[in-house]
Amino acid sequence: MMEIIKVLIVDDSALVRQTFKALLDSQRDIQVIGTAADPYIAVSKIQKERPDVITLDIEMPRMDGLTFLKKLMGQAPIPVVIISNQTAKGMDIAFKALELGAVEVMSKPNVSNEHAMAESRIRLVDAVHSAYNSKKLKSARTSVTTVAETKAAAVKPAFIPSKPISVSGNPAFNKIIAIGASTGGTEALKSFLEVLPDKMPPILVVQHMPENFTRSFAGRLNSISKLKVKEAENDEEILPNTVYIAPGNFHMEIAARGNSHRIKIFSGELVSRHRPSVDVLFNSVAKLIGNKAVGVMMTGMGSDGAVGMKAMFDAGSHTIAQDEATCVVFGMPNKA
């Protein structure tokens, strides 16, 4: 029998509640069991029927989403998808929510036209599936755990070196590390980058994240890394000792220009259900860098990047996938 994911929508906007319900009800394996205009109503609904996933607005009356999330994680942990606006305050709260245990973050749905609505449905459905399949709060489906128990069961850091890492000499411009990540990737990338030395080949990252969130994310990573971390810009030269984060809602690939490589940022259709897409980056690296590249697939739901990583492998690149034990969702690495 098909496994049905029960979802509770918590948002003070009646329009958003109605839109989310319509988008999710279109899926055979998702059932919206209720909506709530604020956390107090949400609590009463949870007591009557426990959802598998909650979509949670972070700016609501009576009790804000962050306060509700803290209480939820401490008393009855349930996988949560945070719905955030794209203001600086909204982004900051969204990152705090991820640190508190939320599984995914996405922006408010775009319902301006049919095409935008279709993309919003894909993103929302994928976020719900990611939350449901995450190991972060797996035990929440069967029992109520304490905060201490939840923290004890948390996924370990993705990358813990057994000895200090050193890179001799100056990394050549024609060596590139390409990384793809989705659900759980914000913490995995943090664990990875904070232990790297200050001399590394260029690192290009596609992390599935809403538009405008990636600049704030890059700033957070820059504060903990010895390398320079920034949101990638179109036509900028790719330099050593720098980490380039693909901007949300735009694809990123590399392009050759004389004796250098440059970044190409562009819009376009969703690729492998995403924009930015890991496949887009990996395919360009396979074509231009080949056996001088390293491809890394980190935690995430779905299959984005699997085809591109195969192209890198066939071109002679060294390819690495995060192991199941440390993944929040062992989807993308498993497919790769």
Side-chain angles (χ1 to χ4, degrees):
M1 292 179 64
M2 181 184 299
E3 207 167 359
I4 303 298
I5 304 171
K6 296 184 292 184
V7 178
L8 174 65
I9 299 167
V10 186
D11 200 296
D12 65 332
S13 166
L15 177 60
V16 171
R17 295 197 302 271
Q18 181 182 2
T19 301
F20 272 32
K21 187 176 188 309
L23 294 174
L24 292 175
D25 279 344
S26 66
Q27 298 298 119
R28 292 176 57 205
D29 64 339
I30 296 176
Q31 177 189 3
V32 177
I33 60 171
T35 64
D38 64 51
Y40 291 97
I41 298 173
V43 170
S44 65
K45 301 244 179 175
I46 292 170
Q47 289 172 342
K48 291 178 182 177
E49 184 174 10
R50 187 182 180 87
D52 297 310
V53 175
I54 294 174
T55 68
L56 177 64
D57 185 17
I58 55 177
E59 294 183 7
M60 289 180 292
R62 297 215 289 170
M63 182 190 295
D64 65 88
L66 207 59
T67 301
F68 175 61
L69 180 65
K70 289 178 185 177
K71 293 179 179 293
L72 186 70
M73 292 299 127
Q75 298 173 17
I78 296 170
V80 171
V81 176
I82 291 294
I83 310 300
S84 173
N85 60 43
Q86 296 183 6
T87 63
K89 179 184 177 182
M91 287 183 276
D92 184 57
I93 295 173
F95 284 116
K96 288 179 181 177
L98 288 172
E99 292 171 359
L100 284 171
V103 178
E104 278 278 16
V105 58
M106 65 174 288
S107 53
K108 297 275 186 178
N110 183 347
V111 295
S112 58
N113 56 64
E114 190 174 331
H115 180 74
M117 180 81 86
E119 287 197 355
S120 291
R121 179 186 61 78
I122 290 171
R123 291 188 170 112
L124 178 60
V125 167
D126 285 353
V128 168
H129 281 142
S130 295
Y132 180 72
N133 286 286
S134 74
K135 293 189 294 184
K136 211 167 190 178
L137 296 171
K138 206 83 162 183
S139 59
R141 294 180 202 147
T142 54
S143 64
V144 175
T145 59
T146 65
V147 174
E149 288 170 332
T150 300
K151 287 181 177 179
V155 176
K156 295 179 181 178
F159 185 75
I160 306 176
S162 57
K163 58 183 179 180
I165 301 170
S166 63
V167 178
S168 58
N170 290 320
F173 78 91
N174 60 347
K175 294 180 181 178
I176 283 178
I177 299 169
I179 300 176
S182 190
T183 309
T186 53
E187 289 301 308
L189 283 165
K190 180 181 176 183
S191 298
F192 177 71
L193 292 177
E194 67 185 354
V195 297
L196 293 183
D198 59 1
K199 294 288 190 295
M200 290 291 292
I203 300 175
L204 276 66
V205 178
V206 168
Q207 164 70 51
H208 296 156
M209 190 171 282
E211 188 173 5
N212 297 324
F213 281 73
T214 42
R215 179 167 296 180
S216 178
F217 179 54
R220 285 170 173 260
L221 293 178
N222 188 59
S223 68
I224 56 94
S225 175
K226 297 183 181 70
L227 301 166
K228 178 182 179 181
V229 185
K230 67 185 298 292
E231 185 181 59
E233 299 175 60
N234 186 50
D235 202 38
E236 69 175 315
E237 185 177 1
I238 299 172
L239 300 173
N241 315 321
T242 308
V243 182
Y244 302 90
I245 309 293
N249 204 34
F250 290 90
H251 293 304
M252 178 174 73
E253 64 182 20
I254 61 171
R257 176 87 60 84
N259 290 325
S260 69
H261 291 105
R262 307 189 86 82
I263 287 177
K264 181 180 178 182
I265 303 295
F266 61 101
S267 189
E269 297 296 317
L270 299 182
V271 176
S272 303
R273 299 177 69 88
H274 293 282
R275 186 176 57 242
S277 166
V278 182
D279 273 325
V280 170
L281 173 62
F282 281 8
N283 280 323
S284 70
V285 172
K287 182 178 179 180
L288 290 178
I289 310 300
N291 63 6
K292 293 181 180 178
V294 173
V296 182
M297 188 73 80
M298 290 186 174
T299 172
M301 184 72 188
S303 61
D304 185 28
V307 172
M309 179 162 270
K310 179 60 164 59
M312 287 185 67
F313 179 83
D314 291 342
S317 303
H318 186 70
T319 51
I320 303 167
Q322 186 175 342
D323 68 336
E324 184 175 7
T326 60
C327 282
V328 173
V329 181
F330 189 54
M332 287 161 51
N334 188 37
K335 288 289 184 180

